[in-house]
């Protein structure tokens, strides 16, 4: 999914940096300061919801726009205010570019 999102967005001139695994995400965010973070909640080796809570508890990322990407239709009620949008898989190329 990282490759798909990266190619879809770079095609329209958006700078993208992907991380197929979240192990270095917090470290990478200190050098690459994105305007938007697309966060798949089904990450290998990490729970995306826990990562979301970690980001929101860090003042440096409190205002970072975060879009959750998931194949699941449900979202925990206690975290619904922690992300800016939720996009369902599969992601349509044209729709992703428009958003």
């Amino acid at each position: 999914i990282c490759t798909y999102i990266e190619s879809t967005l770079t095609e329209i001139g958006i700078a993208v940096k992907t991380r197929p695994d979240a192990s270095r995400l917090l470290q990478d965010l200190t050098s690459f300061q994105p305007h938007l973070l697309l966060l798949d909640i089904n990450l290998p080796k990490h729970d995306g919801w826990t990562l979301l809570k970690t980001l929101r508890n860090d003042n440096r990322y409190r205002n970072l726009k975060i879009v959750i990407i998931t194949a699941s239709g449900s979202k925990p009620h206690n975290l619904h205010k922690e992300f800016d949008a939720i996009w369902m898989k599969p992601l349509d190329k044209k729709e992703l570019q428009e958003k």
Side-chain angles (χ1 to χ4, degrees), residues 22 35 44 65 84 86:
H35 298 283
K65 299 285 185 200
D84 298 281
I86 189 164

Side-chain angles (χ1 to χ4, degrees), residues 4-38:
Y4 172 74
I5 290 172
E6 182 175 22
S7 66
T8 299
L9 296 179
T10 55
E11 187 177 288
I12 59 169
I14 296 175
V16 177
K17 187 167 192 168
T18 60
R19 286 291 164 258
D21 140 357
S23 62
R24 295 189 47 200
L25 177 64
L26 295 176
Q27 179 184 354
D28 289 344
L29 284 174
T30 60
S31 59
F32 183 78
Q33 299 170 348
H35 298 283
L36 174 68
L37 176 67
L38 301 179

Side-chain angles (χ1 to χ4, degrees):
I1 190 145
C2 285
T3 303
Y4 172 74
I5 290 172
E6 182 175 22
S7 66
T8 299
L9 296 179
T10 55
E11 187 177 288
I12 59 169
I14 296 175
V16 177
K17 187 167 192 168
T18 60
R19 286 291 164 258
D21 140 357
S23 62
R24 295 189 47 200
L25 177 64
L26 295 176
Q27 179 184 354
D28 289 344
L29 284 174
T30 60
S31 59
F32 183 78
Q33 299 170 348
H35 298 283
L36 174 68
L37 176 67
L38 301 179
L39 177 61
D40 192 331
I41 60 166
N42 298 316
L43 298 167
K45 304 178 190 171
H46 291 86
D47 172 31
W49 296 116
T50 302
L51 183 55
L52 176 64
K53 285 191 285 189
T54 300
L55 287 166
R56 288 304 187 215
N57 286 328
D58 188 323
N59 285 331
R60 294 174 293 180
Y61 311 115
R62 190 74 199 144
N63 295 316
L64 176 62
K65 299 285 185 200
I66 299 176
V67 174
I68 297 297
I69 299 173
T70 183
S72 165
S74 62
K75 59 186 177 197
H77 290 290
N78 62 337
L79 292 176
H80 71 279
K81 293 182 180 179
E82 301 298 331
F83 55 86
D84 298 281
I86 189 164
W87 296 347
M88 306 309 278
K89 293 178 190 173
L91 298 171
D92 177 73
K93 180 178 180 176
K94 186 174 181 174
E95 185 179 352
L96 180 59
Q97 290 175 335
E98 288 173 357
K99 288 180 178 183

